[in-house]
Amino acid sequence: MMQVCLNGARGAGDGAVVPLSPGALAESAAEAVAAGASDVHVHIKSPCGQDTWSARAVAATVVEIRSRVCVPVGVAGGSWADPAPAARLERVRSWEVLPDHASVNWHEPGAEEIAAALLERGIGVEACIRSGTDAAERFTASPLAPHVLRVRAEVTDPSADTAEGSARALLAELGGALPQALGSARAGRDPHRPVLLHGAEGGAWPVLRLAGRLGLATRTGLADTLVLPDGERAVSNARLVAEGLAQYRRSLRSGQGSASAPARVARP
């Protein structure tokens, strides 16, 4: 799976190429899906460009994107949308238009309560396990872990030289998912949760290529990087998706014969 994250925490200061309004996000999503993206992840923005989980903003953006694409549409969640966990809970309960999935930063206070509220409403939970935090430890001990849609292993190391090592360390924190999952996956009795692995900034492309070698889902988009592998400025999410798929497929071929089955995190 190649997910596209359309905008992330970026704003107008990052250039006109970053989509912010519902219309711009829908247009960018349509182009990215045409380029090969199979899942959309978006940071909902208020009219002034701030992250929000308000019911009105979520509805406007999700409806607009769904009018242009036929793939799952997920929303990003975190303290940047509202620092108070109780307020985010109320936001989730107020939504009238439901996204297909929503991310939960497992290192943040209130993560389990918010995840439970999303699950109660039938919204898939993308458990964000961020490097450099205690999220992996907290998630693997959580009773909700077996119920999430997938685990998103987010490598925050911005260095092209060290991000791959940081990614491998993060996967190891998640319980040695790679070697444990292979036998059960091949037998059709997989007790693990799918893993989406991605990086950010200078680490985005090395981690994407690692995901390819390991047979993991991954993502790209202007949320993660503003440049192509050669350093050229990316002109759109679609361009990043097209290049990401090309890099991923080459890496996948190079990794075949070692660990070709998709990695998953074991259920507690």
Side-chain angles (χ1 to χ4, degrees), residues 11-44:
D14 294 295
V17 68
V18 178
L20 300 175
S21 69
L25 287 163
E27 178 69 22
S28 187
E31 293 173 353
V33 169
S38 53
D39 189 276
V40 173
H41 184 82
V42 59
H43 283 233
I44 305 293

Side-chain angles (χ1 to χ4, degrees), residues 1-4 30-39 71 238 241-242 245 249:
M1 183 188 81
M2 175 64 74
Q3 182 183 85
V4 61
E31 293 173 353
V33 169
S38 53
D39 189 276
V71 302
V241 168
L245 282 169
R249 288 165 179 155

Side-chain angles (χ1 to χ4, degrees), residues 12 17 34 41 71 105 134 140 151 163 225:
V17 68
H41 184 82
V71 302
N105 295 330
D134 64 351
T140 55
V151 172
T225 180

